[in-house]
Amino acid sequence: MVQSYLRHGPTQAFGLVCSPSSNSVYDDRIAYVPALEDVLVWDVKKGQMLAMWHETGHRAEVTCIQRSPRKDTFAVGYADGSIRLWSASTGTVTTTLNGHKKMVTALAFDDAGTRLASGSQDTDLIIWDIIAEAGLFRLRGHRDQITAIRFINAPSAVQPSTSTASSPGYILTGSKDTFLKLWDLSTQHCIQTLVSHRAEVWSMDLDKEQKVVFTGSGEGELRAWRLDQEALAEGLKETETGQLTKMIQPITTLPLSSSHRVSQISFHPTLPYLAVQSHDRSVELFRIRTEEEVRKKQARRRKRAKEKKEKHSGKGKDKNGEEGDADMDENKGIELVDLFTPYLVVRASGKIRSFDFPTSESSLKGNTQLFVALSSNALEVYNIPPPTKSKEETSEATRMYSLDLPGHRTDVRTLSLSSDDMLLASASNGSVKIWNMKTTACIRTLDCGYAICSTFLPGDRQVAVGTKSGDIFIYDLASSSLVETIQAHTATVWSMQVRSDGMALVTGSADKDVKFWEFEEKESTGVDAQGPKLVTLVHVRTLKMTDDVLSVRYSPNRKLVAVSLLDSTVKVFYEDSLKFFLSLYGHKLPVLSMDISDDSKLIVTCSADKNVKIWGLDFGDCHKSIFAHDESVMQVAFEKKSHYFWSVGKDKMLKYWDGDKFENIQKLEGHHGEIWTLAVSHFGNFVVTGSHDKSIRVWEKLDEPLFLEEERERELEGLYESGIAESMNREDGPIGSGAADGGEAPTQAEATAVLKQTTETLMAGERIIEALDLADAERAAFREYEEAKASLSPEEAEKLPPPARNAVLAAYDVTPEAWVLRVVDKIPNTALQDALLVLPFGKVVSLMNYLNMWAQKEWNIILVSRIMFFLLKTHHHQIVANRIMRTTLMSLRKHLRFVLQRQKQTIGYNLAALQFIQRRNDTERTAQFYEEEGMDEEKVRAKIAEGKKRKRVSIKA
């Protein structure tokens, strides 16, 4: 009988407000923020999570979020190079776009929201068609990660309305290679490259008129550039000197208050503000003045200067000189530095990851908001007041909302569960949080020092926390207060555990002491005096060790105490007399954690040497040494009433082991940072882990059985498939990266197709091949049957039985060609081209025959056209050299042209009808106005164009 185990699966991650992996988007109270692999939607005012955008099975981190002009759609880029389009109203993925090999670093939509540009760490820029759900083309030229993308609308002169160019317009990109590139989308080429800064270009933004570009560098420099719209309208031309016209020209450098990296530049969507983040904790705001304001200011300045001079020198002296100065000042033009004046600095409470202005106009009487996402797992919103005329009042930004309670500011260092598994205590440097395990809501937040270990005290009313300073804090949960501070040790308290009978506690510290404590009840004071009594610790004994104590554990039968030391050994003592019993040595580096099984037979130890060792407690013999993790193993814990145990490590993995057979049962991935701690349920039905990524994750035991052989096969299959996909995606390094294997790197085209094989597209290709094989076999069998019937006399032909239909086709009751269409139709648009690339040429010939049949029967003509054009483009050389396809192609051309002509006529007819209805509607409305108000035609048309907007009128009492 093969032994089966129960599978564990992730249920949810909590404790996250926002992660520092990506930018955030804000829309008047509602914030869309990254939370590792998910996107969270928060109502910042209420501090309430409205939605979590989670795709099952997808583990790559969110690296970029961009909102489409079509408000409901969001483009989210991930660390694995994929882009998902999410619908905000339903919280589901509408499309997955795969094209990049490394993480997506920049996203931008065009004004209509129909095209998306994505830049990546693999240096490629890809333009996607959102409607067709396919990549239009890939642009190569940058030599390092693309950091910023902006669409530039084509001036009307360059694109006549009859233009057949696929994608009019321009794109501006900034990259870490210090270059700024301007791309023409109609020719798919770079038309200007600027060496913009001496260091990496980290950020860029365009003003609303698309005339001024600001770029920020790693050296803290903010530069302004002029975008020449006339030059763009004329296109590339040679000047008299024989040089090409420059579309972008440098203007000036704007002074900033700090010289740190300029990590983000943003114009306010409606108000005249420019925000620049160059310091870790602050955002600098510039006010954009109008030319009129600047002229007034200059006039005032001239007037003041004149008055000063007159005061200093006697009247009538040096008059000519003064007039000359004044004239010079008048003739001086308005510079860009005069238009952008520093307004105020917003200082946040922590390191800023990104900021955003609200997209909709705020109704705060001229005020605006600035949303800030912090790297420390918190969100803040600041109120920016309008400029004041008086000099006395200086404008200050005030914090309106702060969202930080549902998560820790620093790494989660320790977790402990209450005896009924209802409450979870998590602690970090600065705070202890109590969570309700059913709702995963944070119900208490308590201040503390740098927490290292924690445990619930008997009765689950109090939590004890050991800190780096050597103190033990005891908190009462009912009153949310610190009840007692015990100065237990003089150095870090590394470990503490309550004895299985709930009568005593042991602590181990870096001061080389193991201290034993007993519980004593004391009267509770204050408001809760009538309630149950509080528990306090009384020091009973001390065991002096030769080295720092890293972990201490009682055996569940209360006979032994195990102590792990910095010298990589574990010493076991009798609990009652503290006499030495065993020494366990074998680890090469310090033992960081250990645990003893419920029957007190096994002890498992884990170490910084990446090994887990299983020992017998009777004789101290090492049963097995397992190389468990790729990094230090941070903690181990036995499951209750079994010899199965869990281990977590700095390699971000949680692993489940069988301590009797020394087998790895399951590997669980999910965390994005080293895992510091774990807590196992007292009933054995779940495990909780806490990590450097500030998330707390619950892994629940499912009813699904797990067989080790199947698990290993699945792992190998996954490796094999990803290996095939990688080998098919192999290309030489990016332009300028040198040779791939010591030889010369082949030159690559600047614009190429967008293709990327994944395991999904490989499987989709295999499904098409299987469907073609099945349909071809079925058609061949019936063809033979018809031929056999034709060769027989009519009487014998009637007696000949038809061949048995394929079981699949019979079950669905479809013809072979309908079955192939059904399979192809189910493949997502985004994966279709990559799936067709998998087909060998023999299958392409076969598929062309089916395309002809579908065109003849007028089935899904859009799909037929897409597949046909792609196959012809991809296999052009072979098709031209192959005579077999001539008849199929001629037939296909005839049928497809006929069907497309008919569809064109139908659409034209419908369009004409709709235009007629619109004209008639306009006429009726005009006539209606004439009857109502007796206005002339021009006024009526103006009123219709206005759309009868309701205006607010302020009525004074």
Side-chain angles (χ1 to χ4, degrees):
M1 178 84 181
V2 179
Q3 184 176 358
S4 71
Y5 302 89
L6 285 176
R7 186 184 294 281
H8 285 76
T11 52
Q12 64 208 109
F14 57 95
L16 276 170
V17 179
C18 73
S19 61
S21 59
S22 154
N23 66 308
S24 304
V25 175
Y26 182 61
D27 179 21
D28 203 23
R29 276 180 53 181
I30 293 172
Y32 303 87
V33 300
L36 303 176
E37 71 271 25
D38 304 329
V39 175
L40 301 183
V41 183
W42 290 98
D43 183 328
V44 184
K45 192 175 180 183
K46 291 180 183 171
Q48 185 181 335
M49 197 204 300
L50 302 176
M52 177 195 268
W53 299 350
H54 174 78
E55 189 174 21
T56 314
H58 186 248
R59 293 196 190 91
E61 225 170 344
V62 173
T63 55
C64 196
I65 303 174
Q66 183 68 36
R67 186 174 198 166
S68 166
R70 303 174 175 202
K71 298 289 186 199
D72 187 49
T73 305
F74 283 79
V76 179
Y78 293 86
D80 61 355
S82 63
I83 300 163
R84 282 168 174 70
L85 295 179
W86 290 85
S87 163
S89 53
T90 59
T92 54
V93 177
T94 53
T95 312
T96 303
L97 306 167
N98 272 306
H100 291 291
K101 294 175 190 65
K102 292 185 182 173
M103 77 174 189
V104 178
T105 52
L107 292 168
F109 280 97
D110 68 351
D111 284 352
T114 54
R115 284 178 298 166
L116 172 71
S118 64
S120 160
Q121 217 173 30
D122 63 10
T123 75
D124 292 351
L125 172 71
I126 297 180
I127 313 298
W128 304 91
D129 184 341
I130 300 298
I131 310 300
E133 300 181 358
L136 295 171
F137 46 87
R138 183 193 301 269
L139 297 170
R140 291 194 168 103
H142 280 295
R143 298 182 182 187
D144 206 337
Q145 171 182 321
I146 294 172
T147 52
I149 303 172
R150 290 292 178 273
F151 272 91
I152 297 170
N153 299 330
S156 51
V158 79
Q159 284 292 340
S161 57
T162 54
S163 168
T164 53
S166 57
S167 314
Y170 297 89
I171 269 190
L172 189 62
T173 57
S175 161
K176 277 194 187 178
D177 60 8
T178 73
F179 296 147
L180 207 59
K181 280 182 179 280
L182 183 65
W183 307 83
D184 186 343
L185 295 182
S186 51
T187 60
Q188 298 173 21
H189 279 287
C190 174
I191 55 173
Q192 190 179 352
T193 300
L194 291 148
V195 183
S196 51
H197 293 270
R198 289 190 299 276
E200 301 106 330
V201 177
W202 275 100
S203 52
M204 174 181 73
D205 203 11
L206 271 164
D207 68 340
K208 274 181 287 187
E209 285 81 34
Q210 297 199 334
K211 287 180 182 171
V212 181
V213 181
F214 280 100
T215 56
S217 80
E219 287 183 333
E221 196 176 33
L222 179 64
R223 276 196 185 174
W225 309 79
R226 187 165 64 84
L227 196 61
D228 195 336
Q229 293 285 349
E230 288 172 14
L232 279 178
E234 288 170 8
L236 280 178
K237 282 187 177 177
E238 278 193 9
T239 55
E240 291 164 8
T241 55
Q243 291 180 326
L244 290 172
T245 50
K246 299 258 192 306
M247 316 283 181
I248 301 171
Q249 286 144 355
I251 309 176
T252 182
T253 302
L254 247 71
L256 288 175
S257 61
S258 93
S259 58
H260 292 74
R261 182 178 97 195
V262 180
S263 46
Q264 196 181 339
I265 302 170
S266 280
F267 280 92
H268 194 287
T270 51
L271 299 173
Y273 289 119
L274 168 73
V276 179
Q277 185 208 336
S278 60
H279 191 268
D280 280 351
R281 285 172 170 260
S282 61
V283 175
E284 197 171 345
L285 247 80
F286 290 87
R287 198 158 69 81
I288 309 167
R289 296 175 185 270
T290 59
E291 289 188 12
E292 197 181 330
E293 282 179 306
V294 174
R295 284 211 175 88
K296 278 182 186 172
K297 192 177 179 184
Q298 283 179 349
R300 280 201 304 273
R301 201 177 282 158
R302 281 198 301 273
K303 193 179 173 186
R304 275 204 302 273
K306 205 171 182 181
E307 284 170 2
K308 256 185 197 171
K309 272 194 175 177
E310 281 176 5
K311 206 178 270 182
H312 285 302
S313 56
K315 282 184 183 176
K317 280 185 193 173
D318 203 20
K319 224 171 217 180
N320 298 338
E322 285 165 30
E323 280 170 15
D325 282 357
D327 288 342
M328 272 173 67
D329 215 7
E330 259 177 61
N331 296 335
K332 189 180 156 192
I334 294 171
E335 291 180 2
L336 193 83
V337 181
D338 301 327
L339 296 174
F340 290 85
T341 56
Y343 176 46
L344 58 83
V345 176
V346 178
R347 288 186 173 81
S349 61
K351 190 177 174 184
I352 297 170
R353 169 58 181 87
S354 72
F355 67 86
D356 197 16
F357 286 114
T359 44
S360 54
E361 283 188 47
S362 190
S363 57
L364 296 165
K365 297 177 186 171
N367 293 9
T368 185
Q369 295 176 3
L370 182 77
F371 167 80
V372 175
L374 305 181
S375 296
S376 60
N377 199 22
L379 308 173
E380 293 179 341
V381 177
Y382 288 86
N383 180 32
I384 311 293
T388 55
K389 293 270 174 103
S390 65
K391 288 182 183 177
E392 287 78 33
E393 287 182 45
T394 52
S395 298
E396 286 268 327
T398 52
R399 190 164 72 187
M400 292 172 70
Y401 314 122
S402 175
L403 183 63
D404 57 3
L405 282 179
H408 286 282
R409 302 285 74 72
T410 51
D411 298 12
V412 179
R413 287 305 301 259
T414 169
L415 296 170
S416 57
L417 282 159
S418 62
S419 57
D420 56 1
D421 287 346
M422 296 297 283
L423 298 178
L424 172 77
S426 67
S428 66
N429 179 6
S431 64
V432 177
K433 288 183 182 286
I434 310 297
W435 307 85
N436 180 334
M437 282 305 290
K438 264 195 180 160
T439 60
T440 66
C442 178
I443 52 176
R444 295 277 187 276
T445 298
L446 312 156
D447 291 334
C448 79
Y450 197 135
I452 298 291
C453 55
S454 63
T455 181
F456 273 89
L457 297 182
D460 293 338
R461 280 177 54 83
Q462 288 160 278
V463 173
V465 177
T467 63
K468 206 166 188 174
S469 59
D471 298 334
I472 296 175
F473 294 131
I474 297 178
Y475 295 94
D476 179 42
L477 301 186
S479 62
S480 304
S481 60
L482 175 64
V483 184
E484 194 174 2
T485 303
I486 299 164
Q487 292 174 340
H489 293 272
T490 55
T492 308
V493 182
W494 282 114
S495 178
M496 60 164 63
Q497 193 197 15
V498 176
R499 203 167 65 193
S500 57
D501 60 355
M503 301 301 287
L505 175 96
V506 64
T507 59
S509 162
D511 63 4
K512 305 180 185 177
D513 285 355
V514 175
K515 290 194 177 180
F516 295 86
W517 311 78
E518 283 185 356
F519 298 119
E520 195 176 86
E521 287 187 348
K522 67 168 185 178
E523 292 294 329
S524 54
T525 54
V527 187
D528 212 22
Q530 301 300 318
K533 289 176 181 174
L534 298 175
V535 172
T536 184
L537 298 181
V538 179
H539 179 219
V540 188
R541 292 182 292 178
T542 302
L543 176 61
K544 297 270 183 193
M545 303 303 292
T546 54
D547 218 327
D548 292 20
V549 178
L550 297 181
S551 180
V552 281
R553 279 287 171 272
Y554 278 116
S555 65
N557 62 9
R558 305 194 295 282
K559 286 183 179 171
L560 303 170
V561 175
V563 181
S564 86
L565 303 174
L566 196 63
D567 65 4
S568 314
T569 63
V570 176
K571 303 274 195 289
V572 184
F573 300 89
Y574 288 105
E575 199 268 341
D576 48 5
S577 62
L578 295 186
K579 278 188 178 171
F580 177 74
F581 171 48
L582 287 172
S583 184
L584 313 175
Y585 50 90
H587 281 292
K588 293 179 181 67
L589 288 169
V591 174
L592 302 176
S593 171
M594 55 188 177
D595 200 19
I596 300 172
S597 63
D598 264 10
D599 56 8
S600 303
K601 295 260 176 72
L602 294 183
I603 179 169
V604 61
T605 58
C606 70
S607 161
D609 63 10
K610 308 173 190 176
N611 285 298
V612 164
K613 289 183 189 282
I614 301 157
W615 318 75
L617 257 185
D618 297 338
F619 308 106
D621 52 326
C622 181
H623 289 188
K624 187 74 175 173
S625 181
I626 304 168
F627 181 77
H629 290 261
D630 297 335
E631 296 282 339
S632 301
V633 189
M634 297 312 294
Q635 200 177 335
V636 283
F638 272 104
E639 206 174 71
K640 300 293 176 228
K641 296 176 185 166
S642 75
H643 283 181
Y644 302 153
F645 65 91
W646 293 90
S647 68
V648 291
K650 282 190 176 179
D651 60 354
K652 310 171 190 175
M653 297 287 278
L654 165 69
K655 294 190 180 182
Y656 189 33
W657 305 86
D658 184 334
D660 292 328
K661 295 192 172 179
F662 321 124
E663 291 267 19
N664 177 213
I665 302 169
Q666 211 180 344
K667 292 176 189 171
L668 294 160
E669 292 175 82
H671 278 291
H672 295 264
E674 45 269 40
I675 306 175
W676 294 115
T677 176
L678 83 134
V680 180
S681 147
H682 291 90
F683 302 104
N685 48 4
F686 65 86
V687 61
V688 193
T689 52
S691 161
H692 167 70
D693 62 22
K694 302 181 186 68
S695 72
I696 301 167
R697 288 172 190 262
V698 183
W699 313 82
E700 212 162 59
K701 190 175 274 185
L702 312 171
D703 294 332
E704 187 187 335
L706 177 149
F707 298 96
L708 294 181
E709 291 293 319
E710 284 180 13
E711 200 66 13
R712 300 293 165 268
E713 274 176 30
R714 193 177 294 164
E715 279 176 30
L716 287 170
E717 269 175 30
L719 281 170
Y720 174 66
E721 281 172 358
S722 60
I724 291 179
E726 274 174 32
S727 64
M728 291 186 79
N729 289 326
R730 269 199 62 174
E731 271 180 31
D732 300 287
I735 297 170
S737 66
D741 297 310
E744 291 217 1
T747 54
Q748 289 182 318
E750 193 172 46
T752 56
V754 183
L755 299 166
K756 184 189 176 189
Q757 293 292 352
T758 62
T759 47
E760 288 80 23
T761 59
L762 291 174
M763 286 164 71
E766 284 173 10
R767 285 203 298 276
I768 296 175
I769 294 170
E770 282 171 12
L772 288 170
D773 285 340
L774 188 148
D776 285 347
E778 183 81 351
R779 289 181 66 223
F782 273 92
R783 201 182 304 116
E784 281 173 19
Y785 169 66
E786 292 299 332
E787 284 169 6
K789 266 176 79 173
S791 62
L792 296 171
S793 62
E795 293 84 19
E796 286 173 329
E798 277 180 22
K799 289 175 187 173
L800 189 71
R805 284 186 74 190
N806 184 290
V808 176
L809 299 180
Y812 285 102
D813 192 24
V814 287
T815 57
E817 56 270 27
W819 173 251
V820 178
L821 179 64
R822 186 187 180 121
V823 170
V824 174
D825 197 25
K826 278 187 177 173
I827 295 167
N829 283 347
T830 47
L832 184 61
Q833 292 188 356
D834 293 312
L836 293 171
L837 278 182
V838 178
L839 305 185
F841 188 66
K843 296 294 174 219
V844 172
V845 176
S846 177
L847 184 58
M848 282 288 200
N849 288 322
Y850 287 105
L851 289 177
N852 184 24
M853 291 179 210
W854 300 341
Q856 204 171 347
K857 294 181 178 180
E858 297 186 27
W859 287 351
N860 203 337
I861 296 302
I862 298 167
L863 184 68
V864 172
S865 307
R866 273 190 68 192
I867 294 172
M868 187 195 72
F869 292 136
F870 180 73
L871 291 178
L872 288 176
K873 209 187 294 178
T874 310
H875 301 282
H876 180 257
H877 295 301
Q878 277 174 295
I879 289 170
V880 170
N882 192 333
R883 281 192 169 180
I884 306 167
M885 302 206 57
R886 185 176 167 80
T887 50
T888 311
L889 284 172
M890 286 179 74
S891 171
L892 180 59
R893 182 177 68 174
K894 185 181 119 188
H895 293 138
L896 199 57
R897 274 190 176 171
F898 174 70
V899 174
L900 288 172
Q901 192 62 43
R902 269 190 40 195
Q903 288 202 352
K904 187 180 171 186
Q905 286 170 354
T906 309
I907 290 168
Y909 181 83
N910 291 343
L911 204 59
L914 287 168
Q915 284 167 349
F916 169 72
I917 291 166
Q918 187 184 8
R919 283 198 301 273
R920 199 171 70 179
N921 183 38
D922 283 353
T923 315
E924 282 174 6
R925 285 177 69 190
T926 311
Q928 196 179 338
F929 268 120
Y930 269 128
E931 285 166 17
E932 276 180 14
E933 302 175 18
M935 297 162 79
D936 66 337
E937 194 168 344
E938 278 180 19
K939 284 182 183 173
V940 171
R941 290 203 182 284
K943 194 152 189 181
I944 289 171
E946 196 184 279
K948 285 189 179 176
K949 283 181 184 168
R950 286 182 7 193
K951 290 180 182 174
R952 286 203 176 134
V953 183
S954 53
I955 300 167
K956 287 178 184 174

